[in-house]
Amino acid sequence: MAKKGKVVIDRELCKGCLLCIRACPVQVLEKDSRLNEQGSCPSFPAHPEKCIACGNCFEVCPDVCIEIFDLEGALA
Ligand code: SF4
Ligand code: SF4
């Protein structure tokens, strides 16, 4: 059975590069249509219930905007 995870993205740090969206195997993440303070459309967890705490999004993010949690606690 897949792990259950929770992903948290800092929308003000995110530059909207889409790498995390492409890296997610279960389509948790989408691009927000609203701009953040730096003028980017950040990623956000549009389908948070699907997250399996795989860590892919955290590993590809160049700006360390992402935290992932699973049942054992913080992974990143
Ligand atoms: S941890 Fe994995 S499943 Fe969860 S949002 Fe990131 S890439 Fe998707
Ligand atoms: S990889 Fe990081 S900077 Fe790029 S869209 Fe995702 S959270 Fe934002």
Side-chain angles (χ1 to χ4, degrees):
M1 192 172 139
K3 285 194 293 185
K4 288 289 286 178
K6 179 181 177 186
V7 59
V8 177
I9 298 179
D10 185 328
R11 64 172 279 117
E12 295 308 325
L13 278 181
C14 174
K15 63 187 179 190
C17 71
L18 308 181
L19 290 176
C20 57
I21 295 175
R22 294 193 187 119
C24 180
V26 289
Q27 290 79 49
V28 171
L29 307 174
E30 292 182 8
K31 195 172 174 92
D32 199 336
S33 57
R34 294 170 302 139
L35 296 174
N36 62 17
E37 292 287 320
Q38 59 170 322
S40 300
C41 291
S43 296
F44 75 105
H47 305 286
E49 74 286 352
K50 293 183 180 176
C51 180
I52 55 173
C54 70
N56 287 7
C57 57
F58 170 79
E59 286 175 18
V60 298
C61 179
D63 293 306
V64 199
C65 312
I66 300 177
E67 283 185 293
I68 306 160
F69 301 87
D70 79 355
L71 295 178
E72 287 89 52
L75 292 177

